[in-house]
């Protein structure tokens, strides 16, 4: 066949920013964002984003420079997912629950030029900037995101606050010609991996990657046009798994929520007839433990991270939630593996359905390939559901790399074209993968590799257990042994008898070498800002236990 070359008509770069223009054209009069008593339409959101992008450019922000956002799930946070890159800048969302020293390091590492900061976090961001070394003579400018629900701040003298958010919107040009990417590979967003401290890992994604992961997430989750999406997942967490752009693509309605509260969530579901939401397993646990009548209409909920325990999945189903399990990383821009559900599974028992739903599943349609391999040889593990290996991925949604960290990039993005995730999994005979642990969380006891997730799954079936996490505790003879940290359903139920009962319960359901040698009952398990249990904190607690000391009770 004759070789044909690309023309200007088919060589435009892929970017999810175009979804907003289309939403304004197709769904212009439909609600786009709802927050308390505020409602915008897609025409209004499109106009506001153009005006804001215009103002960002007029401030002097150049193409490729970083603009940071420090805010919860309020309308400004949603709009900035479009407005910042429409100005040609790179969007950098920062976890609002980090401390000033960590925020300071991230701002310095990213060389952020402008920060949009929520009114409730202004003092924290100011403290972070004050920690800059004296050699930094031009700190980032601040724009204050106000909220009618909180008292206004009138004094901007402490740091260079150039304006308020609404002030920039009102001053901008609604006919602004937004900065389209020059190539598919132009940097689009910069996200820092969770747990970042002294060695920040800044994940850089391009327009093309964001486009791919957004479209694929909508298709794999079967999100229909004009869905009503409740923001229970922080948008600062991997850009809300790409759904800020996804809701524009399907003309959906974004229900913004400043802070997660189970009762408020149920009220919003009923008031706005919510159809979709996302959240970590801890969100599912909190919702399932809040006494409520079953929902009038089913709500699709997408969860990721550690596998949701079977009892939690069962309770969620009884309440009217339809749970889908996924797997993704900051490095993949969001979702890369889905537990694609098969109709014939609907006829299985509740226990069997929960077991299948706890698996991460198969690659999304936009991912080129996904596998579980021996990390040393790169050879695929047996599809027997028991041989553990490392999850590897490749495809257009994988990051460009870590900012200013070629060594870290080369370590996980190998020359053979695979991205090595560091997550340990098994591959089942039907091609569905199931995570067993992070590589650093596998417990090696007497030469045996123990999956903490397998032990946790058993612990969650105990009727008294609310949450559970298992880590390795140093042991002179075995190297390390499983140590279980457990919170209970009933307050004050924390006796030694209960701890012994839990160990005996595990003995009847697990191989001897996997049974926790230590059970620690605590009121609350430590969690990150995105709801992940912080096993590094628990490992430190396990190490601090006195030799021969089998238990502690701590409120954390």
């Amino acid at each position: 066949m004759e070789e044909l070359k690309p023309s200007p008509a088919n060589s435009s770069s892929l970017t999810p920013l175009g979804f907003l223009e289309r939403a304004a054209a197709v769904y212009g009069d439909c609600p786009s964002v709802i927050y308390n008593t505020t409602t915008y339409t897609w025409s209004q959101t499109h106009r506001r984003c153009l005006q804001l992008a215009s103002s960002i450019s007029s401030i002097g922000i150049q193409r490729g420079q970083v603009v940071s956002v420090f805010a919860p799930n309020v309308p400004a946070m949603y709009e900035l997912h479009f407005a910042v890159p429409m100005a040609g800048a790179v969007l950098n969302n920062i976890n609002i629950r980090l401390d000033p020293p960590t925020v300071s390091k991230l701002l310095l590492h990213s060389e952020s030029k402008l920060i949009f900061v929520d009114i409730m976090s202004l003092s924290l961001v100011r403290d972070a900037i004050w920690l800059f070394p004296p050699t930094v003579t031009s700190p980032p400018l601040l724009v204050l995101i106000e909220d009618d629900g909180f008292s206004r701040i009138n004094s901007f003298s402490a740091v260079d606050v150039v304006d308020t958010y609404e002030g920039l919107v009102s001053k901008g040009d609604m006919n602004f010609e937004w900065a389209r990417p020059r190539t598919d590979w132009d940097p689009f967003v910069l996200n820092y991996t969770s747990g970042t401290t002294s060695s920040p890992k800044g994940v850089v994604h391009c327009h093309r990657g964001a486009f791919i992961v957004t479209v694929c997430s909508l298709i794999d989750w079967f999100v229909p046009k004009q869905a009503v999406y409740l923001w229970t997942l922080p948008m600062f967490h991997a850009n809300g798994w790409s759904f800020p752009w996804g809701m524009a693509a399907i003309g959906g309605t974004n229900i913004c929520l400043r802070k997660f509260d189970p009762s408020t969530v149920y009220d919003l579901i009923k008031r706005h007839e919510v159809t979709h939401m996302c959240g970590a397993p801890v969100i599912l646990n909190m919702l399932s433990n809040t006494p409520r009548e079953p929902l009038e209409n089913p709500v699709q909920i997408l969860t990721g991270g550690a596998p949701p325990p079977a009892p939690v999945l069962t309770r969620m189903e009884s309440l009217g939630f339809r749970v889908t399990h996924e797997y993704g990383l900051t490095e993949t821009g969001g979702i890369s593996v889905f537990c694609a559900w098969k109709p014939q599974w609907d006829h299985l028992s509740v226990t069997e359905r929960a077991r299948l739903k706890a698996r991460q599943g198969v690659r999304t349609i936009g991912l080129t390939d996904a596998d579980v391999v021996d990390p040393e040889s790169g050879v695929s593990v047996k599809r027997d559901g028991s041989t553990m290996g490392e999850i590897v991925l490749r495809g257009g949604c994988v990051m460009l790399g870590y900012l200013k960290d070629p060594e870290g990039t080369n370590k996980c993005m190998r020359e053979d074209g695979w991205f090595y995730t560091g997550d340990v999994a098994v591959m089942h005979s039907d091609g569905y993968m199931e995570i067993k642990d992070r590589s650093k969380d596998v417990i090696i006891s007497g030469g045996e590799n123990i999956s903490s997730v397998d032990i946790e799954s058993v612990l969650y079936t105990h009727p008294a257990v609310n949450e559970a996490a298992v880590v390795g505790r140093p042991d002179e003879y075995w190297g390390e042994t499983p140590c279980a940290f457990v919170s209970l359903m009933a307050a004050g139920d924390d006796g030694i008898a209960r701890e012994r009962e839990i160990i005996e319960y595990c003995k009847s359901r697990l191989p001897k070498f996997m049974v926790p040698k230590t059970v620690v009952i605590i009121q609350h398990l430590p969690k990150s800002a995105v709801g992940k249990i912080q096993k590094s904190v628990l490992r430190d607690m396990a190490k601090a236990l006195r030799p021969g000391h089998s238990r502690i009770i701590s409120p954390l």
Side-chain angles (χ1 to χ4, degrees):
M1 180 181 291
E2 176 188 0
E3 182 178 348
L4 299 176
K5 296 182 180 180
S7 72
N10 62 20
S11 59
S12 297
S13 298
L14 294 175
T15 176
L17 299 179
F19 299 155
L20 182 57
E21 286 185 327
R22 184 177 182 278
V26 180
Y27 309 103
D29 295 331
C30 301
S32 57
V33 177
I34 298 176
Y35 176 61
N36 296 335
T37 59
T38 299
T39 300
Y40 295 121
T41 65
W42 279 111
S43 290
Q44 290 173 319
T45 296
H46 180 226
R47 184 178 68 249
R48 285 171 59 83
C49 290
L50 285 173
Q51 290 175 272
L52 186 56
S54 169
S55 291
I56 291 172
S57 296
S58 67
I59 289 174
I61 301 301
Q62 303 295 314
R63 183 185 287 269
Q65 291 184 330
V66 174
V67 173
S68 299
V69 182
F70 204 87
N73 289 348
V74 293
M77 179 59 140
Y78 183 82
E79 292 172 345
L80 286 163
H81 274 79
F82 294 93
V84 169
M86 288 173 94
V90 177
L91 175 66
N92 166 229
N93 293 331
I94 297 180
N95 187 329
I96 62 174
R97 295 170 193 170
L98 298 176
D99 58 14
T102 303
V103 173
S104 183
K105 290 171 184 172
L106 300 190
L107 292 173
L108 286 169
H109 185 261
S110 67
E111 301 182 40
S112 179
K113 302 300 181 185
L114 177 67
I115 308 172
F116 287 87
V117 57
D118 180 73
I119 189 171
M120 299 303 292
S121 300
L122 180 60
S123 60
L124 190 154
V125 173
R126 282 174 166 167
D127 290 344
I129 293 176
W130 284 335
L131 292 173
F132 281 13
T135 52
V136 179
T137 56
S138 299
L141 303 174
L142 298 187
V143 173
L144 182 64
I145 301 171
E146 296 181 298
D147 193 313
D148 290 337
F150 300 91
S151 59
R152 293 179 178 271
I153 296 176
N154 296 317
S155 174
F156 301 154
S157 58
V159 182
D160 276 336
V161 176
V162 294
D163 211 328
T164 64
Y165 183 86
E166 291 300 327
L168 287 187
V169 172
S170 65
K171 295 172 185 176
D173 179 7
M174 61 180 293
N175 297 312
F176 177 68
E177 290 288 334
W178 58 276
R180 298 179 184 273
R182 291 166 178 163
T183 74
D184 284 9
W185 313 104
D186 280 6
F188 183 55
V189 295
L190 167 65
N191 296 320
Y192 284 92
T193 54
S194 59
T196 296
T197 51
S198 59
S199 301
K201 283 190 174 181
V203 176
V204 181
H205 283 282
C206 62
H207 285 257
R208 178 177 183 266
F211 182 97
I212 291 172
V213 75
T214 299
V215 173
C216 293
S217 297
L218 294 172
I219 294 174
D220 279 303
W221 198 20
F222 298 103
V223 182
K225 294 178 180 178
Q226 296 189 282
V228 180
Y229 183 93
L230 177 59
W231 277 103
T232 45
L233 171 73
M235 287 187 226
F236 62 68
H237 182 41
N239 302 109
W241 299 351
S242 81
F243 287 111
W245 308 301
M247 286 304 106
I250 51 96
T253 302
N254 296 274
I255 311 299
C256 288
L257 180 64
R258 173 175 278 273
K259 183 180 180 181
F260 178 83
D261 172 75
S263 295
T264 302
V265 166
Y266 279 110
D267 291 344
L268 290 173
I269 288 174
K270 183 176 182 179
R271 186 188 316 164
H272 299 293
E273 297 182 346
V274 169
T275 61
H276 292 71
M277 54 193 286
C278 295
V282 64
I283 297 296
L284 275 63
N285 197 38
M286 293 172 71
L287 289 172
S288 66
N289 285 330
T290 302
R292 282 279 175 161
E293 292 295 320
L295 302 173
E296 294 180 7
N297 299 302
V299 173
Q300 303 292 330
I301 184 165
L302 187 64
T303 189
V312 174
L313 287 172
T314 303
R315 291 199 300 268
M316 290 295 286
E317 273 196 10
S318 68
L319 287 168
F321 292 95
R322 301 293 179 260
V323 182
T324 300
H325 197 199
E326 60 81 16
Y327 166 75
L329 308 94
T330 306
E331 288 87 343
T332 61
I335 302 163
S336 50
V337 174
F338 254 98
C339 186
W341 195 251
K342 299 180 180 181
Q344 59 265 35
W345 293 348
D346 290 331
H347 306 295
L348 300 174
S349 66
V350 173
T351 302
E352 185 63 10
R353 289 202 309 271
R355 184 187 70 81
L356 292 171
K357 282 191 175 185
R359 304 190 301 176
Q360 280 65 35
V362 295
R363 65 179 176 86
T364 61
I365 60 171
L367 199 66
T368 303
D369 210 350
D371 200 1
V372 178
V373 304
D374 179 285
E376 297 299 324
S377 66
V379 176
S380 300
V381 300
K382 294 179 180 178
R383 294 192 171 196
D384 56 7
S386 61
T387 303
M388 291 192 289
E390 184 171 351
I391 298 176
V392 292
L393 309 168
R394 57 184 174 190
C397 63
V398 176
M399 65 174 179
L400 295 177
Y402 295 122
L403 181 65
K404 303 176 184 176
D405 186 7
E407 182 178 348
T409 301
N410 293 334
K411 185 177 180 180
C412 65
M413 297 178 73
R414 309 284 178 84
E415 291 183 358
D416 58 4
W418 289 100
F419 165 60
Y420 281 67
T421 66
D423 286 320
V424 176
V426 298
M427 187 70 83
H428 290 273
S429 58
D430 60 358
Y432 280 58
M433 67 174 63
E434 181 179 0
I435 290 181
K436 291 300 181 181
D437 243 323
R438 289 289 294 173
S439 57
K440 62 185 178 183
D441 293 334
V442 172
I443 301 165
I444 304 175
S445 182
E448 296 281 0
N449 288 348
I450 301 175
S451 164
S452 63
V453 173
D454 285 348
I455 304 175
E456 290 159 5
S457 297
V458 170
L459 290 169
Y460 270 105
T461 64
H462 192 290
V465 171
N466 177 43
E467 290 185 317
V470 177
V471 297
R473 178 187 177 187
D475 184 273
E476 290 185 2
Y477 183 77
W478 297 106
E480 56 182 354
T481 57
C483 175
F485 289 84
V486 174
S487 68
L488 303 176
M489 293 286 190
D493 185 8
D494 54 7
I496 295 178
R498 176 66 79 183
E499 296 168 356
R500 289 173 177 166
E501 173 195 324
I502 291 174
I503 290 177
E504 291 301 316
Y505 182 85
C506 290
K507 284 182 178 178
S508 64
R509 290 163 174 82
L510 287 169
K512 184 176 180 180
F513 71 92
M514 293 181 66
V515 174
K517 302 298 185 291
T518 313
V519 171
V520 179
I521 292 179
I522 57 179
Q523 292 182 14
H524 304 287
L525 271 65
K527 297 183 181 70
S528 69
V530 295
K532 292 182 180 179
I533 294 173
Q534 295 178 307
K535 288 197 172 182
S536 60
V537 175
L538 296 179
R539 276 193 290 268
D540 289 340
M541 293 175 63
K543 289 178 183 177
L545 291 172
R546 298 192 305 273
H549 192 62
S550 63
R551 63 180 291 271
I552 59 171
I553 299 174
S554 168
L556 270 185

